[in-house]
Amino acid sequence: MKKKVVFFSFLISYSTFSTAQTGYPITPVPFTAVKVTPGTFWGQRLEASRNVTVPLAFSKCESEGRYKNFENATAHMADPSKVFKVNGVGYSFDDTDPYKTLEGAAYILQTYPDKKLEAYCDSVIDIIGKAQEPDGYLYTARTQNPADPHHWAGDRRWVKEEDLSHELYNLGHMVEGAVAYWQATGKRKFFDIACRYADVACKEVGPNAGQMCVVPGHQIAEMAMARLYLATGEKRYLNFAKFLLDYRGKTEIKNGYSQSHQPVVDQNEAVGHAVRAAYMYAGMADVAALTGDQSYIDAIDRIWDNIVSKKLYITGGIGATASGEAFGKNYELPNMSAYCETCAAIGNVYVNYRLFLLHGESKYYDVLERTLYNGLISGVSLQGDGFFYPNPLESMGQHQRQAWFGCACCPSNICRFIPSLPGYVYAVKGHALYVNLFLSNKATLNVGGKKVTLSQKTNYPWDGDIEISIDKTALKEEMTLQIRIPGWVRGKVVPSDLYTYSDNKRLGYTVSVNGNRVRAIDLERGYFSITRKWKKGDKVEVHFDMEPRTVRANNKVEADRGMVAIERGPLVYCAEHPDNSFDIMGALLNQAPAFNIGRGEVSGTQIVTLTTDAQTLSFDKQGKLQTSDQKLTLIPYYAWCHRGSGKMRVWLPQDLNATTPSQPATLASESKITSSSNVPALSSVNDRLIPRDENDRSIPYTHWWPKKGVTEWICYELPQESSVQSCTVYWFDDGPWGGCRVPKSWRILYQDAQGQWQPVEGTDRYPTDKGAPCIVNFAPVTTKALRLEVTLPDDNAAGLFEWIVR
């Protein structure tokens, strides 16, 4: 069969092939057709990605051994006597970090040609290609040491694919990166490497005799195979994508974690690992668009409705719990323990974009925009060099941006997403041009088979004024400009009753063409339509009222009862410690708050701030409740944690029963904390927050995972020499699925006058009860320091919420 090769943009420009006669009803716009204006909100983000994030990711691939894995695999194939240790030195999906970074670099190269960057990418591809086995298989977690591969890999190909081997996941990211690089440079080497690996998968995995009938443990291959089909016209890749979806829920492993608990067309609820789920839903949309399978579309529509009505954070984040990095139950949306992985936010954008291409309704872009401006870009610092893995909505200071992670999926995913952003601004259907996002740019698009050049000028998201100019058009017929009117303008926080505005405001909007007001009787699926014969110089002026709004969650969301979130335009705001000299956790908003709009700067970037009157509630040393008036300052959520770790809160109490008055200082809270090893959120042990029960994940905790069977300690250096006779510990135990259990044993030691550590005497007991205060009383000691010594279980780690001293 003669191949027809068509170059296309990220998220697939569904051009018509002789072998593929169906596709999305709405055509994506290649991101290379849209040039974002430098120095603007998104222009700065793109510059940071190009100049900082992608180079940083490449440097981490060097320093963290990602390239070394490929070199080791090459060395073993050349000399089988050379074997390399793969267990305990990384993950089975580490190969994807170079693939994703190459993809991001490819998008940059299309917009900013750079011979030096291209030469570096070529050198990386050379390293990757040499590690490919003769038949095309490429998986360094096995090839480095086939006799003793990574313990997630299994003893032969694909045998643990449904568990943790990630062979097809690696393939998926390889294909995405390879197609992007081919498009950017015209060079086929990486593309051919990916095709050879894909051919091995198609040959060895499937429902037929002699094949391994498995589906991905971590989805993305479904999207990638659809993309590879469009690039090559080879139907076997589309058939393989459909197999991977059709057989989910029908193979050996069936569990909600990987969405294999039932066939995909029977699923109604978003469950399990949020990134896996989002990638699967996006793959279902791709395959449905190419095959016309309505049952896939019906299933995605049901699941989308479940997400936006019961499982979506106000920031657009998804994934409520760290246990399994997963969706929680319906309406389970905790704030401090919210997982909201950056990769899941990216996946949420993928899904909503595809659903827009299928259905043409603005509600999908309303969710996409909310995610984009809040829960997604919060995952990377303004300078492009610091990252969040989870994106919580509340913090006691236990969260901080990291330069990289051992499991580096989020930074490398940001590398490939941000440069692709221009492709989300517009879309086309026949003679209709959709304007979906508002950012300053210049674009040349194909509308009705003719080129149309237009530009946007706007300061969005800081104000709601947008100017769209027709700079050039070869289209002689009428064109319909479809301008999205955001849900936040029309009084809809999200396309459900999960969140509602609580301030009784009604915002408006106006649209003018060449200075003349245009009115629409009704919006078409959320779009303001203007149909006319456009000419060079025509200008459309759009104005959206943009005011601070208060939002309430559905009362079924227990974590947000009695609280409000603050929004302005597409941005969610938060209160953070550097802007407020009082304890923001004790703040209470007025019943009818008024907001002042100001200007500020975070990490050298200008932002719009909001201030409002509030009160703080606190207990004095005698336990008497006190109130004081305060000015509360809010910043955009995406900008938090650029000025050091500290307290942050999105949902703020407005009802008295939702407040948490600040507690008086205690001996423990005023102590300096040290520990035997580097542990996360060490400050949580003396923050005076007590868990409600053993399952409470709404407050911070520390832990020693993944250590097992060793003895560790935490030390309090007391503010002054004190007499102590009792300690209370609240243990963290996330069994049966997590890695922490109550300790095997523990004891309290004190520092004597000679500086030596001595065990306290006269103890009654050292309890290890789960979900209860574990109190030990002992003979009084006078000391300047105490040590909590913990012996971990033989097979698990241990952790604690709080250590109280009396």
Side-chain angles (χ1 to χ4, degrees):
M1 181 178 67
K2 184 179 179 181
K3 298 180 182 179
K4 288 194 175 182
V5 178
V6 175
F7 291 91
F8 50 94
S9 73
F10 180 61
L11 278 172
I12 315 170
S13 178
Y14 281 88
S15 304
T16 301
F17 292 83
S18 60
T19 53
Q21 297 302 320
T22 59
Y24 284 111
I26 297 173
T27 304
V29 166
F31 73 91
T32 49
V34 182
K35 309 299 182 185
V36 177
T37 306
T40 59
F41 184 92
W42 285 108
Q44 291 173 345
R45 287 282 180 168
L46 290 166
E47 284 294 307
S49 182
R50 178 167 69 101
N51 295 326
V52 179
T53 309
V54 169
L56 172 65
F58 276 134
S59 72
K60 291 295 183 180
C61 286
E62 293 180 11
S63 65
E64 302 306 309
R66 301 301 192 259
Y67 300 154
K68 193 66 177 176
N69 290 337
F70 292 95
E71 292 169 343
N72 289 347
T74 302
H76 173 76
M77 287 192 292
D79 182 356
S81 67
K82 293 181 178 179
V83 294
F84 302 90
K85 180 181 178 182
V86 291
N87 288 304
V89 295
Y91 294 98
S92 61
F93 47 81
D94 282 350
D95 291 356
T96 65
D97 290 339
Y99 302 157
K100 287 184 279 188
T101 309
L102 282 167
E103 185 180 350
Y107 300 141
I108 289 171
L109 284 171
Q110 291 195 51
T111 309
Y112 304 98
D114 183 329
K115 290 183 178 180
K116 185 177 180 181
L117 174 61
E118 185 175 337
Y120 179 86
C121 291
D122 289 344
S123 71
V124 173
I125 292 167
D126 287 341
I127 293 171
I128 292 169
K130 291 175 183 177
Q132 189 161 38
E133 295 188 16
D135 68 347
Y137 184 76
L138 211 173
Y139 179 66
T140 68
R142 185 183 313 282
T143 307
Q144 293 181 72
N145 191 342
D148 185 23
H150 194 283
H151 64 278
W152 285 1
D155 58 3
R156 61 190 186 280
R157 295 179 183 181
W158 320 113
V159 71
K160 283 195 173 183
E161 173 54 39
E162 295 190 347
D163 188 11
L164 289 170
S165 78
H166 289 82
E167 286 153 289
L168 292 175
Y169 175 78
N170 289 8
L171 169 63
H173 274 300
M174 178 192 289
V175 168
E176 295 281 342
V179 173
Y181 197 72
W182 179 34
Q183 175 193 11
T185 65
K187 297 176 179 178
R188 287 189 58 99
K189 184 170 185 176
F190 194 20
F191 184 78
D192 290 339
I193 292 167
C195 287
R196 292 187 66 217
Y197 190 12
D199 289 342
V200 171
C202 291
K203 178 182 177 181
E204 297 183 354
V205 176
N208 301 317
Q211 292 182 305
M212 290 288 292
C213 190
V214 295
V215 297
H218 194 312
Q219 300 89 317
I220 199 175
E222 301 84 350
M223 279 192 287
M225 289 300 103
R227 187 173 189 179
L228 192 57
Y229 162 60
L230 287 175
T232 63
E234 293 286 356
K235 191 70 176 289
R236 66 178 180 275
Y237 298 134
L238 178 60
N239 292 340
F240 188 55
K242 197 164 191 308
F243 159 76
L244 297 177
L245 291 166
D246 284 346
Y247 273 74
R248 185 165 291 276
K250 302 175 184 177
T251 57
E252 181 178 352
I253 292 182
K254 299 178 177 67
N255 60 53
Y257 172 77
S258 60
Q259 299 76 43
S260 60
H261 57 300
Q262 59 186 154
V264 296
V265 295
D266 296 333
Q267 295 185 27
N268 301 300
E269 181 181 355
V271 299
H273 190 273
V275 181
R276 285 169 162 84
Y279 286 179
M280 185 181 84
Y281 306 149
M284 288 171 68
D286 285 346
V287 173
L290 289 165
T291 64
D293 193 326
Q294 186 62 40
S295 63
Y296 277 24
I297 298 173
D298 292 342
I300 309 166
D301 288 345
R302 295 192 302 268
I303 294 167
W304 180 86
D305 184 68
N306 173 253
I307 293 172
V308 299
S309 62
K310 298 178 177 67
K311 299 192 177 187
L312 181 72
Y313 277 91
I314 190 76
T315 57
I318 54 174
T321 173
S323 179
E325 301 177 334
F327 288 102
K329 300 174 184 177
N330 289 337
Y331 301 107
E332 181 186 356
L333 295 166
N335 292 310
M336 193 175 299
S337 61
Y339 206 67
C340 293
E341 185 180 337
T342 301
C343 287
I346 292 172
N348 200 25
V349 167
Y350 290 169
V351 173
N352 281 278
Y353 181 59
R354 286 161 164 81
L355 287 173
F356 160 75
L357 295 176
L358 282 170
H359 299 306
E361 296 183 54
S362 68
K363 63 183 182 181
Y364 303 111
Y365 254 93
D366 289 342
V367 178
L368 187 157
E369 181 182 62
R370 176 171 295 277
T371 305
L372 183 64
Y373 276 96
N374 300 290
L376 194 157
I377 58 171
S378 60
V380 58
S381 69
L382 290 160
Q383 302 304 319
D385 59 355
F387 306 93
F388 276 138
Y389 196 110
N391 291 271
L393 281 75
E394 189 173 313
S395 180
M396 293 294 293
Q398 72 271 35
H399 303 95
Q400 49 272 324
R401 296 182 183 275
Q402 304 288 338
W404 203 249
F405 302 97
C407 173
C409 56
C410 293
S412 53
N413 227 357
I414 282 285
C415 281
R416 74 190 190 108
F417 178 80
I418 295 294
S420 74
L421 172 80
Y424 292 89
V425 180
Y426 303 105
V428 175
K429 183 179 182 181
H431 285 68
L433 171 60
Y434 291 86
V435 181
N436 284 316
L437 293 177
F438 308 106
L439 60 151
S440 294
N441 70 86
K442 190 177 186 69
T444 299
L445 312 174
N446 190 321
V447 183
K450 302 293 183 181
K451 286 187 177 180
V452 176
T453 300
L454 72 159
S455 57
Q456 275 193 59
K457 293 181 181 178
T458 181
N459 200 32
Y460 196 91
W462 306 125
D463 67 44
D465 295 317
I466 303 110
E467 180 185 280
I468 304 168
S469 300
I470 305 297
D471 300 326
K472 188 186 299 183
T473 178
L475 188 64
K476 305 301 182 184
E477 300 90 348
E478 289 185 338
M479 179 180 76
T480 300
L481 201 61
Q482 300 266 41
I483 302 169
R484 182 176 66 94
I485 307 301
W488 61 262
V489 177
R490 296 182 286 118
K492 293 287 290 183
V493 184
V494 294
S496 72
D497 66 353
L498 185 58
Y499 303 106
T500 54
Y501 291 114
S502 60
D503 51 22
N504 299 316
K505 294 179 181 178
R506 295 189 67 180
L507 303 188
Y509 66 91
T510 59
V511 179
S512 301
V513 177
N514 298 330
N516 299 312
R517 178 84 176 267
V518 180
R519 300 182 186 275
I521 298 174
D522 293 303
L523 298 180
E524 298 179 15
R525 298 186 173 191
Y527 288 88
F528 190 104
S529 300
I530 310 172
T531 302
R532 57 180 282 154
K533 291 184 179 180
W534 298 88
K535 63 182 186 300
K536 180 180 178 179
D538 283 343
K539 286 189 178 354
V540 179
E541 293 175 307
V542 181
H543 169 77
F544 300 137
D545 292 344
M546 190 177 280
E547 297 182 20
R549 305 293 306 272
T550 57
V551 178
R552 288 261 182 169
N554 188 303
N555 201 49
K556 293 177 182 177
V557 183
E558 181 182 358
D560 301 335
R561 287 177 191 160
M563 299 187 180
V564 293
I566 315 302
E567 298 184 353
R568 182 175 179 268
L571 298 176
V572 174
Y573 277 71
C574 69
E576 195 187 14
H577 67 101
D579 308 301
N580 300 284
S581 59
F582 52 90
D583 184 1
I584 61 173
M585 296 301 179
L588 176 67
L589 287 189
N590 294 349
Q591 290 297 300
F595 297 91
N596 293 316
I597 297 172
R599 302 286 173 178
E601 184 177 291
V602 172
S603 195
T605 302
Q606 296 297 311
I607 62 168
V608 170
T609 62
L610 303 176
T611 57
T612 188
D613 292 329
Q615 290 181 304
T616 52
L617 306 182
S618 61
F619 291 106
D620 64 16
K621 291 184 178 180
Q622 287 72 45
K624 182 181 178 181
L625 187 64
Q626 297 179 320
T627 65
S628 59
D629 293 333
Q630 306 286 354
K631 286 286 186 183
L632 180 70
T633 299
L634 307 170
I635 66 168
Y637 168 76
Y638 74 77
W640 83 281
C641 206
H642 282 82
R643 298 167 292 176
S645 298
K647 294 181 179 180
M648 181 277 295
R649 201 170 201 181
V650 169
W651 289 96
L652 299 161
Q654 192 176 40
D655 296 352
L656 197 58
N657 59 6
T659 59
T660 306
S662 300
Q663 301 291 320
T666 65
L667 193 59
S669 72
E670 293 188 322
S671 296
K672 178 183 177 182
I673 317 174
T674 55
S675 64
S676 54
S677 57
N678 186 27
V679 294
L682 183 60
S683 62
S684 65
V685 302
N686 69 343
D687 60 12
R688 293 163 288 174
L689 296 178
I690 305 301
R692 294 190 301 269
D693 55 41
E694 63 193 67
N695 299 313
D696 188 0
R697 300 294 180 267
S698 66
I699 63 172
Y701 53 87
T702 192
H703 59 80
W704 287 280
W705 188 85
K707 294 186 177 182
K708 303 175 184 178
V710 297
T711 298
E712 300 283 344
W713 54 259
I714 294 175
C715 175
Y716 279 164
E717 295 180 28
L718 306 180
Q720 64 274 329
E721 190 173 65
S722 303
S723 177
V724 181
Q725 61 184 24
S726 176
C727 287
T728 302
V729 178
Y730 289 84
W731 299 110
F732 172 74
D733 184 323
D734 59 359
W737 308 113
C740 289
R741 302 292 185 273
V742 295
K744 185 176 183 178
S745 62
W746 63 288
R747 62 176 184 162
I748 299 294
L749 298 91
Y750 72 99
Q751 195 172 54
D752 63 19
Q754 288 72 44
Q756 301 299 309
W757 291 102
Q758 306 292 343
V760 296
E761 297 179 349
T763 57
D764 46 9
R765 57 194 289 265
Y766 281 109
T768 56
D769 300 324
K770 181 177 178 178
C774 294
I775 303 171
V776 58
N777 298 303
F778 45 84
V781 295
T782 299
T783 184
K784 293 182 179 180
L786 289 173
R787 178 177 285 182
L788 171 63
E789 191 177 88
V790 182
T791 300
L792 310 187
D794 294 336
D795 298 322
N796 288 281
L800 66 150
F801 289 101
E802 193 76 8
W803 174 22
I804 301 169
V805 174
R806 294 185 176 90

